[in-house]
Amino acid sequence: MKDQDVIAAHSVGPSKPIRSGAEYVESLRGRQLKVYLMGERVEEPVDHAIIRPSINAVARTYDLANEDPELASAVSPLTGDRVNRFLHISASSADLVMQNKMQRRLGQLTGTCFQRCVGMDALNSLHSVTHDLDQKYRTSYHARFTSFLVRVQRANAVIGGAMTDVKGDRGRSPSQQADPDLFLHVVRRTPDGVYVSGAKAHQTGCLNSHWLIVMPTMRLEAADKDYAIVGAIPVDAEGITYIYGRQSCDTRSAEDGDIDAGNAQFSGQEAMIIR
């Protein structure tokens, strides 16, 4: 843990605080993401018939916070403002109960994955871990993390958690792989930050997020120092490619006519992220 880096990124994310599901959808437009679906480049994911239902599911997390603020939002001790509960650091058993009730209600409303849970868990874990690191090693990770958290709370942004690496030979550690890019790792360090290379697989809601928090996928040893990276990366950062994952019935969303499309309005999403 001592060698992990919490990196700051240069993207500003949403240009203004997102107040509703409709504003959230608009915040995803025009980002020029490099997204491929069924072998073709997707010019605007927001308007793609297969992708849009997953965006609708995330938008519902914003609307629920407006409809039932006690359930789906909380007062941030960092800003003093009410923030979406997916961006709140739980400080009591009551917070955890409300978090669970919010997730249950969203499941009832959407019937699918609403794609913000891993990001929420990452924020809560890092709040604790960075504090402990600073106490033990006299580092400044917690202050940097808190600064980032305030930033995303004020923007009311969506945080995606990116943990699962593609792994390669599972009998070998990251530093022993024939291809170093099978695990996300640091390739260059500069006074301004670090540069990473690699891939993350099965990333829930990554296209629908504003930031990705990357984390190691397994316990690491000293030889794996460059793979012990935790950081926040803008979804629209330069050099990232997204390969959209297929769902069993996803083409029904793109078909016209009266067809039994199941849950046509909402769906989940996953993709492979390559950098």
Side-chain angles (χ1 to χ4, degrees):
M1 299 296 294
K2 157 181 175 178
D3 294 308
Q4 287 183 341
D5 292 292
V6 179
I7 58 177
H10 300 294
S11 173
V12 297
S15 59
K16 60 181 181 179
I18 300 170
R19 302 299 184 191
S20 67
E23 289 185 5
Y24 160 72
V25 173
E26 289 306 307
S27 77
L28 301 183
R29 290 189 182 278
R31 297 192 294 173
Q32 304 299 315
L33 303 183
K34 188 182 292 185
V35 179
Y36 289 90
L37 172 56
M38 293 188 285
E40 297 182 353
R41 176 79 180 267
V42 178
E43 294 301 324
E44 180 50 84
V46 173
D47 297 323
H48 196 285
I50 291 176
I51 299 175
R52 183 55 182 266
S54 70
I55 295 175
N56 293 340
V58 183
R60 199 68 185 85
T61 69
Y62 284 90
D63 290 335
L64 182 61
N66 290 330
E67 297 162 5
D68 192 343
E70 290 300 318
L71 176 65
S73 69
V75 176
S76 168
L78 299 174
T79 67
D81 297 325
R82 188 166 284 278
V83 301
N84 194 286
R85 195 171 290 279
F86 281 104
L87 298 174
H88 179 58
I89 302 301
S90 294
S92 66
S93 58
D95 276 340
L96 295 175
V97 169
M98 292 302 289
Q99 174 182 305
N100 182 267
K101 288 183 175 180
M102 172 190 68
Q103 292 169 298
R104 180 180 298 173
R105 182 57 180 151
L106 284 167
Q108 293 168 343
L109 291 170
T110 67
T112 190
C113 172
F114 23 93
Q115 307 155 58
R116 300 186 68 175
C117 301
V118 179
M120 175 176 63
D121 292 344
L123 291 177
N124 279 268
S125 297
L126 288 175
H127 186 270
S128 174
V129 170
T130 55
H131 176 272
D132 291 347
L133 281 172
D134 287 359
Q135 292 294 306
K136 186 172 183 178
Y137 297 108
R138 300 295 184 264
T139 50
S140 59
Y141 291 129
H142 191 67
R144 290 157 61 186
F145 169 78
T146 302
S147 177
F148 170 74
L149 180 58
V150 168
R151 178 178 181 176
V152 297
Q153 284 185 347
R154 286 178 172 161
N156 203 13
V158 175
I159 307 298
M163 180 177 290
T164 305
D165 292 280
V166 294
K167 295 185 175 68
D169 185 342
R170 299 189 180 215
R172 297 177 179 272
S173 69
S175 60
Q176 296 172 336
Q177 299 293 327
D179 182 351
D181 286 339
L182 295 175
F183 288 80
L184 189 75
H185 62 291
V186 177
V187 293
R188 184 155 63 97
R189 300 176 186 270
T190 74
D192 295 326
V194 299
Y195 292 79
V196 297
S197 180
K200 292 287 185 179
H202 318 304
Q203 297 309 294
T204 303
C206 56
L207 298 182
N208 299 339
S209 300
H210 299 107
W211 293 84
L212 299 170
I213 293 181
V214 298
M215 301 164 281
T217 191
M218 61 189 294
R219 182 184 296 274
L220 302 171
E221 304 294 339
D224 303 314
K225 175 181 177 180
D226 287 337
Y227 297 85
I229 178 70
V230 174
I233 300 176
V235 169
D236 58 352
E238 183 179 356
I240 296 180
T241 299
Y242 298 90
I243 311 298
Y244 198 89
R246 295 295 310 278
Q247 304 292 328
S248 60
C249 299
D250 54 14
T251 56
R252 288 186 175 186
S253 300
E255 294 173 357
D256 296 324
D258 295 326
I259 184 172
D260 178 11
N263 188 356
Q265 185 177 2
F266 301 111
S267 75
Q269 178 197 100
E270 65 177 34
M272 176 178 285
I273 310 171
I274 302 172
R275 172 63 177 89

